Amino acid sequence: MTPLWTAETVAAATGGQASASFAACGITFDSREVQPGDLFVALRGQRADGHDFVPDALARGAVAALVDRPVKGAHVRVPDTLEALRALARAARARSSATVVGVTGSVGKTGVKEALAAAFRRMAPEATHASVRSYNNHTGVPLSLARMPADTRLAVFEMGMNRAGEIRALTRLVRPHVAVITWVASVHLEFFASEEGIAEAKAEILEGLEPGGVAVLPADNRHFPRLAAAADARGVRVLSFGTGLEAHVRPIEVEPTPTGTRLLVRAADELVACTVGIPGAHWINNALAVLAAVQAVGGDLAEAGLALAGLSPPPGRGARIRLALPGGPATLIDESYNANPASMTAALAVLAAQPAERRLAVLGEMRELGPRSAEWHRALAEPIAQARIARLALVGPGMAALQAPQAVHLDDWTAALAWARAELRPGDVLMVKGSNAVGLGHLVEALRAEFAEGLGP
C-alpha cells in the first residue's frame, strides 16, 4: 500500500527536518485516536500541548511525530506545527486530481457532507474521501485534507465558522470544484451584526472555487439573491435547489413516511425517484442539496438516490434509541449535538410528527445568539405548542425567557437527567436538544447506559 506520508514528503511539504525515515499510513492530532502507522501532529492548544502526549502517541503505534521542539523518537521538527499541518493540507490538495466538493451552511452541513460521501462511495468505492464527524474548523479541515490519499477521485469537506473570514481561509485550502451552501440562518449572531452578515460569511466559500467551479445554493432561503449575486460577481455558475419552480433541482412529488420521505425530483432534464432515510422536512432540503451537488460533479443521480435511502440519523442528530422502561419501551430522539433557532424548530417539527402516548422534551439553551438571544428563545413557544409536548424541561439561563405551562426550568443536564428518569413512561417519546456547551449529550449517554434496548427504526 502506498504510504500517505513519508519522512521525505513531510519534510518537503513543511520545510522541516526529519530525524529518521518513516512511512505513515494515517495522520491525527489526538493521541487517543492514534492507530498503528499514524503520524502524530503535536498541536499546541488552549488547554493542552500536544507535545506532552508524544510519548503516548508513539507507544500507541505512531511511526513519528510532527513537532516544534525536541522530543525523543522519530519526528519531523518544524517552526510551528499548526502551520506545518496546513502545509501538509496544501501538499495533499496539490498532488490530488480529485473532484472536490466543499460544504458549508448554518444548518445541515454535516448531514449533507455525510450523505454526499455516501453517494460518492457508491460511485467510487475505493477512491472517495471525506472529512470525519464535524472536523470543519481551522484544525479539522487541514487535518482532513492531509488525510486525503493521492489517488482519491471524489472528496467532500465540511467548513464551519463562528466569525467572518474563517471560511475564506478554509476554502483557499480546500479549493473545491463545487461549493454547497445548505442554508443561512440565525447562528453565531453573537459575532455578527445581522443575518445578512452570516450570509456574506457563508459566501466566502465561493472565493476558493477552482476555475469553472459551481455554486450549489438554496433557492428557498431568503438570502439566495445575496448568495447568487456573490457567485455572479465571481463568474461562478449557480445550480439552485429548493421547492419553488425556479429551482434547478426541485421536488415534484413529496410523500412523508414514518421513517423518511419519498421524493420524485426534477434535476434539470432528469427525473430521480428516491427515498430519504431520515425523517423531517429539513431533510428534503438536504437531499435536494445532495442531488444538486452530485449533478454538479457529473455523478450518477440514481446512485445518489440509493445513498439517500440508506441514510440513518447519526448520534446527536436525530438517532432514535429505544429505552426499556419497567412496563414497556419508550423512545429517545437524540438531537443533542447542537442547537440554533432553525435546527431547534426543525427538530420540534420532527417530534410533532412522531406517534406517541406523550411527547416530552429536554431543550437546552441556544448559545452565541447575541443581543437577540431572549427573543429567539421566546420564539420557540410556537413550535413547542405545535409539537403538542406534554412535559418539558428547559435547561440553562438562556431558557429563562421562554415560558410554557408544561415546562420546568432546570440549571444543568444532571437536573434534567433526574427529571427525565422521573417523568418517562412506556409509550413516551423524549427528544433532547441543546447547544453543545449545555452538555445534554451526557444526559443521552446516561439514559442509554441505564435503559437502552437498541436503535429504533
Side-chain angles (χ1 to χ4, degrees), residues 23 43 79 121 125 181 225 251 294 315 348-349 351 360 385 408 438 448:
L43 295 180
R121 290 187 187 106
I181 300 177
V294 169
L348 287 166
L351 178 61
L360 285 68
V408 295
V438 182
R448 184 197 297 270

Side-chain angles (χ1 to χ4, degrees), residues 208-257:
L209 274 172
E210 290 288 270
V214 180
V216 175
L217 305 178
D220 293 345
N221 191 265
R222 74 181 186 90
H223 299 288
F224 175 76
R226 183 181 297 270
L227 301 175
D232 185 63
R234 293 173 173 82
V236 174
R237 180 169 71 90
V238 171
L239 187 62
S240 62
F241 63 92
T243 57
L245 294 176
E246 74 285 353
H248 296 108
V249 177
R250 59 185 176 86
I252 297 174
E253 297 177 8
V254 177
E255 180 186 353
T257 73

Side-chain angles (χ1 to χ4, degrees), residues 343-353 361 363 380 383-384 386-387 389 431:
S343 67
M344 189 74 86
T345 300
L348 287 166
V350 171
L351 178 61
L363 304 182
L380 294 177
I384 286 170
Q386 292 174 348
I389 295 173
M431 186 184 76

Side-chain angles (χ1 to χ4, degrees), residues 43 167 201 282 368 395:
L43 295 180
I167 289 178
H282 59 296
E368 298 183 358
V395 183

Side-chain angles (χ1 to χ4, degrees), residues 385-454:
Q386 292 174 348
R388 303 183 303 284
I389 295 173
R391 295 285 289 151
L392 175 64
L394 302 174
V395 183
M399 280 292 184
L402 175 59
Q403 300 296 323
Q406 74 277 44
V408 295
H409 287 263
L410 303 173
D411 291 335
D412 55 32
W413 72 267
T414 57
L417 175 61
W419 176 89
R421 285 172 173 154
E423 286 290 340
L424 274 169
R425 303 174 191 169
D428 286 348
V429 174
L430 168 66
M431 186 184 76
V432 177
K433 189 169 183 65
S435 285
N436 279 332
V438 182
L440 296 184
H442 300 303
L443 180 154
V444 170
E445 288 309 309
L447 290 176
R448 184 197 297 270
E450 189 169 350
F451 299 112
E453 189 176 81

Side-chain angles (χ1 to χ4, degrees), residues 4 92-93 95-96 98 100 129 144-150 152 155 157:
L4 184 65
R93 181 66 183 88
R95 72 188 181 188
S96 173
V100 177
H129 178 72
S144 298
L145 278 164
R147 286 175 167 174
M148 182 168 61
T152 298
F157 298 94

Side-chain angles (χ1 to χ4, degrees), residues 268-315:
D269 296 329
E270 295 186 61
L271 285 178
V272 185
C274 63
T275 299
V276 183
I278 303 177
H282 59 296
W283 259 99
I284 298 173
N285 184 77
N286 290 352
L288 296 175
V290 169
L291 293 172
V294 169
Q295 187 168 69
V297 303
D300 189 324
L301 290 177
E303 292 286 7
L306 291 172
L308 289 169
L311 295 176
S312 58

Side-chain angles (χ1 to χ4, degrees), residues 158-175:
E158 178 183 341
M159 287 173 260
M161 61 91 184
N162 290 325
R163 295 170 173 83
E166 292 179 345
I167 289 178
R168 178 177 294 114
L170 299 177
T171 191
R172 288 175 176 172
L173 282 176
V174 173
R175 291 168 39 217

